[in-house]
């Protein structure tokens, strides 16, 4: 039977002199996860992606920038995960802007934190690909336009700008292609 499997591994630092190379350097970051996805049938190529974890109360550091450049050099798909939203001095919007400034305009959030009425506690996430009561319309529109820009369907933007609601499965398929090509970098 054919199926999809995803593995997530936090890589420990490697000892110097154990073979070197870009792969080993990429694995040295403590705030990084390597995702390996492959189909469960013979001959299928493995697809590796990097998730870069950035603490909302710390921001983007030089190590993160260096690792991002190394991944870009080998055109590795990558994404950003903003963590520690419940910590003191957590600034989701500020860290998101730092990531966009450091890594480019194609770093876009797929979800936004939903806060309790008091504004402090994060009580959930609002997805931006489908309309929800907590979704920010401006950010949702920016995300959809960015995904459509990466689409191979040249009529999609005209349809969207003409007022057509683009189906979520179409957006997800285009998003997956853009991430796999390392031209779009989701923030989750």
């Amino acid at each position: 039977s054919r199926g999809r499997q995803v593995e997530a591994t936090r890589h420990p630092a490697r000892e110097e002199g154990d073979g070197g190379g870009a792969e080993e350097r990429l694995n040295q970051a403590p705030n990084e996860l390597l995702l390996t996805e492959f189909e469960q049938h013979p001959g299928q190529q493995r697809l590796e992606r990097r998730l870069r974890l950035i603490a909302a109360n710390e921001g983007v550091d030089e190590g993160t920038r260096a690792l991002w450049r190394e991944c870009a050099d080998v055109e590795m798909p990558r994404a950003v995960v903003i963590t520690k939203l419940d910590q003191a001095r957590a600034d989701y919007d500020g860290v998101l802007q730092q990531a966009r400034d450091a890594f480019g305009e194609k770093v876009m959030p797929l979800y936004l934190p939903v806060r309790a009425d008091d504004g402090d506690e994060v009580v959930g996430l609002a997805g931006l690909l489908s309309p929800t009561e907590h979704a920010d319309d401006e950010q949702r529109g920016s995300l959809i336009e960015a995904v459509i820009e990466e689409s191979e369907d040249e009529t999609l933007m005209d349809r969207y700008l003409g007022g057509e609601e683009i189906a979520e499965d179409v957006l997800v398929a285009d998003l997956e292609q853009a991430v796999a090509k390392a031209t779009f970098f989701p923030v989750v």
Side-chain angles (χ1 to χ4, degrees):
S1 96
R2 187 175 175 196
R4 177 180 274 184
Q5 181 173 335
V6 178
E7 299 173 351
T9 308
R10 183 178 296 270
H11 288 279
R14 299 196 183 243
E15 296 295 319
E16 195 168 323
D18 68 349
E23 181 64 24
E24 285 76 16
R25 284 194 309 277
L26 292 176
N27 288 340
Q28 290 181 2
N31 290 332
E32 179 183 65
L33 295 176
L34 168 65
L35 293 183
T36 303
E37 182 176 342
F38 54 94
E39 298 292 327
Q40 294 178 322
H41 58 86
Q44 179 68 36
Q45 271 192 323
R46 292 166 44 121
L47 171 64
E48 292 188 352
R49 294 178 219 133
R50 298 285 170 173
L51 288 181
R52 188 66 196 154
L53 307 180
I54 302 173
N57 61 342
E58 296 174 14
V60 178
D61 60 18
E62 188 50 43
T64 299
R65 286 181 177 88
L67 183 62
W68 193 273
R69 287 189 299 269
E70 286 187 30
C71 289
D73 288 346
V74 295
E75 297 178 354
M76 180 177 286
R78 50 212 179 274
V80 173
V81 180
I82 299 179
T83 63
K84 300 184 179 180
L85 295 172
D86 58 345
Q87 299 292 311
R89 299 182 329 273
D91 180 7
Y92 177 86
D93 294 328
V95 170
L96 174 60
Q97 189 58 52
Q98 284 180 15
R100 294 195 79 204
D101 292 345
F103 311 132
E105 65 182 29
K106 292 299 182 170
V107 173
M108 301 284 295
L110 296 182
Y111 301 91
L112 295 177
V114 176
R115 298 199 177 272
D117 291 335
D118 64 8
D120 291 332
E121 181 184 4
V122 175
V123 295
L125 296 172
L128 292 176
L129 284 180
S130 59
T132 66
E133 66 180 271
H134 296 290
D136 178 293
D137 289 337
E138 184 179 331
Q139 286 197 349
R140 181 173 188 272
S142 295
L143 172 64
I144 290 172
E145 287 180 24
V147 170
I148 290 173
E149 285 173 3
E150 298 297 324
S151 177
E152 294 177 5
D153 182 348
E154 296 180 12
T155 68
L156 207 52
M157 185 63 81
D158 290 335
R159 292 175 17 219
Y160 175 70
L161 293 176
E164 182 179 330
E165 184 70 31
I166 306 302
E168 187 175 351
D169 61 329
V170 171
L171 293 171
V172 169
D174 285 340
L175 173 68
E176 288 175 348
Q177 286 181 354
V179 171
K181 292 186 301 188
T183 59
F184 188 90
F185 313 104
V187 178
V188 294

